[in-house]
Amino acid sequence: DPPPTLIALGATLKASSADGSRVIPLEEFFTDYYETVLKPEEIITEIVVPRLPPNSGTAFLKFLPRTADDYATVSAAAVVTLDRSKKTFADVRIALGSVGTTPVRAKEAEAVLRGQPVKSEAIREAAEKAKQAVDPISDFRGSAAYKREMAGVFVRRALEKALDSVSG
């Protein structure tokens, strides 16, 4: 569950070894199933989550087909930042989990919302765009087509929940 949330929050991590350290954006950390950009001699020594700007809200949702200890069929994290009037999306970050070999940032879906008025039509359009960012596989948790559809549903719900959590 943490990777999509940390990606949506813009987190970075520090990888350290005897040769020094380097900072890696979390969205660039995962390369394949259970594979990362870490070198064999490196360990993670720090994770930094930047402070959210004013008028921001966050959400993380997941669909568990069986029990709480199962892997999610789909998960979605959203961070929204509104302008001062709280009527326009100033920034948006969306990340999904369990719908590809790595967590996915839905940049094209984000772009649909940036600078746009906060309206349900725009959120639905971003959710549809998010389905194009995923590449799920069929397994016992659901077919690839089902997971793609669920990705859109969960992005829409996460965006709505994130908007509801904007303070003020």
Side-chain angles (χ1 to χ4, degrees):
D1 293 345
T5 302
L6 291 170
I7 289 169
L9 289 168
T12 58
L13 62 84
K14 185 186 284 186
S16 300
S17 70
D19 295 330
S21 61
R22 62 186 175 126
V23 175
I24 305 164
L26 210 74
E27 69 186 86
E28 297 173 11
F29 182 68
F30 301 97
T31 59
D32 205 344
Y33 283 111
Y34 304 107
E35 293 183 20
T36 69
V37 297
L38 275 184
K39 297 173 185 167
E41 66 275 7
E42 290 179 316
I43 61 169
I44 297 171
T45 56
E46 186 176 352
I47 296 177
V48 176
V49 179
R51 184 180 305 273
L52 291 175
N55 300 325
S56 293
T58 62
F60 174 78
L61 301 171
K62 66 180 176 177
F63 174 65
L64 294 171
R66 297 166 187 235
T67 64
D69 59 344
D70 194 10
Y71 289 105
T73 299
V74 63
S75 65
V79 176
V80 298
T81 302
L82 304 181
D83 69 350
R84 289 181 64 167
S85 71
K86 297 185 182 175
K87 294 181 180 179
T88 302
F89 290 99
D91 196 18
V92 180
R93 290 178 62 94
I94 302 167
L96 294 123
S98 303
V99 287
T101 58
T102 65
V104 177
R105 183 156 170 222
K107 292 180 181 181
E108 290 182 13
E110 297 169 355
V112 166
L113 295 174
R114 260 188 220 103
Q116 298 300 311
V118 177
K119 293 188 176 182
S120 57
E121 299 84 29
I123 291 170
R124 282 195 299 274
E125 184 181 342
E128 282 298 310
K129 188 63 85 171
K131 292 192 289 188
Q132 298 172 14
V134 303
D135 186 22
I137 61 167
S138 294
D139 60 19
F140 65 90
R141 289 183 190 87
S143 69
Y146 174 74
K147 291 177 185 181
R148 186 171 285 107
E149 285 301 313
M150 291 297 287
V153 168
F154 273 75
V155 164
R156 179 184 51 79
R157 290 178 183 172
L159 287 166
E160 291 168 349
K161 187 173 180 179
L163 281 170
D164 287 344
S165 75
V166 174
S167 62

